[in-house]
Amino acid sequence: MRLISWNVDLFRSGLKSVEKKVEAVCQHSPDIVAFQEVTDRSLPLFREELEKFGLFHSVDSLALVEIARVAYMAERLNELRARGTNDPFQFAYSASRLSEQYSPPGEAKDCGCLIASRYPPLTPLNPLDFDIPRKQRVVSAVVSAPAGEFEIHNVHVPTAIGSRRNEIAKAETLVGIYRHLAVQSARPRILCGDLHIPEAELPDGRSFRSTATSSRTKPTAPRSPRATSTSAARDGGGTTPR
């Protein structure tokens, strides 16, 4: 089985690049692809292009998060009604607070993750199972491959660039992913995506661009958070993670 994961970065390359990006990936004959930073406008184009290469089955975090939120809201609102909340103002206030809780400010509503597979069926998992601040940064599914079922989790960890809020969101995302996956599972699991972390890090804070630690590998000394460059953090290596 061949799995390819890629941050397609459509915010810089635009919709016109979708066909070329899918062609570049599918020339390697993947059985599963995991894309990060897909947008709501690009999703139909991605699906159309992926189907040309036999990847007919797909799930995306944009749709799954909205479905999960609607289901959660409906369940909580039914609970409010069952408790006899007859005051219309109080009911509306409670509904508004629920909406804020599962649609936090600052979250990009049009950017998410996509999984496409040539194996049917591709069964989506609930994205709200991950306790992370930006729910659309994860999409998960169960793949029914010829050798058996397994889970795939495609994540896009936010960078810590720009503000203290981003630093906190990145840390909380990494912790949430770990807590959800670092438990016994009945199925094998694959975690892939854009993690925005170095490939190797030593206890003293030095990090490496590669997992190789030969004499030719030069470690990067710890830097202050403000010294971390945007390009290095985006590439996921060479600096202390923020």
Side-chain angles (χ1 to χ4, degrees):
M1 183 192 74
R2 178 169 292 175
L3 163 65
I4 298 179
S5 173
W6 189 19
N7 185 329
V8 293
D9 195 9
L10 288 187
F11 288 106
R12 289 191 294 179
S13 57
L15 293 177
K16 294 182 179 179
S17 68
V18 169
E19 182 178 354
K20 292 183 178 179
K21 288 179 183 291
V22 172
E23 183 179 357
V25 168
C26 289
Q27 68 179 338
H28 300 287
S29 302
D31 300 297
I32 301 172
V33 298
F35 289 152
Q36 304 87 45
E37 286 198 27
V38 297
T39 62
D40 53 358
R41 294 179 60 196
S42 69
L43 275 169
L45 301 176
F46 271 112
R47 287 196 169 94
E48 180 180 348
E49 294 301 320
L50 288 165
E51 287 176 2
K52 294 178 181 179
F53 295 91
L55 297 161
F56 292 105
H57 314 282
S58 62
V59 295
D60 68 270
S61 62
L62 297 178
L64 290 179
V65 167
E66 288 308 309
I67 292 170
R69 282 175 174 160
V70 169
Y72 178 87
M73 287 282 291
E75 185 176 348
R76 299 289 84 77
L77 290 175
N78 285 335
E79 290 177 357
L80 288 174
R81 292 190 182 96
R83 290 202 297 265
T85 307
N86 297 321
D87 184 348
F89 179 83
Q90 182 63 39
F91 184 84
Y93 175 78
S94 300
S96 176
R97 293 301 301 270
L98 283 172
S99 179
E100 290 177 2
Q101 180 181 358
Y102 280 90
S103 186
E107 179 180 1
K109 303 300 189 299
D110 62 344
C111 180
C113 299
L114 170 72
I115 297 172
S117 170
R118 66 177 69 255
Y119 304 128
L122 186 63
T123 307
L125 298 174
N126 191 341
L128 301 188
D129 290 341
F130 285 88
D131 184 14
I132 59 176
R134 300 172 184 175
K135 307 296 183 182
Q136 291 171 328
R137 295 297 185 118
V138 176
V139 61
S140 304
V142 176
V143 180
S144 297
E149 286 189 345
F150 64 90
E151 295 178 11
I152 177 170
H153 302 273
N154 177 20
V155 305
H156 180 206
V157 177
T159 68
I161 302 300
S163 68
R164 179 62 175 168
R165 175 182 290 180
N166 291 342
E167 294 177 3
I168 294 172
K170 177 176 181 176
E172 290 179 342
T173 300
L174 289 169
V175 169
I177 291 170
Y178 174 81
R179 285 178 174 171
H180 182 62
L181 298 181
V183 296
Q184 288 289 343
S185 172
R187 293 182 290 254
R189 286 169 164 168
I190 295 175
L191 172 65
C192 64
D194 188 352
L195 302 180
H196 282 121
I197 57 176
E199 294 186 10
E201 184 178 11
L202 299 182
D204 62 7
R206 290 182 298 164
S207 59
F208 295 84
R209 299 181 188 275
S210 170
T211 52
T213 54
S214 65
S215 59
R216 292 180 297 174
T217 303
K218 184 178 179 181
T220 302
R223 301 182 183 182
S224 66
R226 300 303 175 193
T228 304
S229 68
T230 301
S231 60
R234 185 184 300 114
D235 293 338
T239 60
T240 303
R242 297 177 54 191

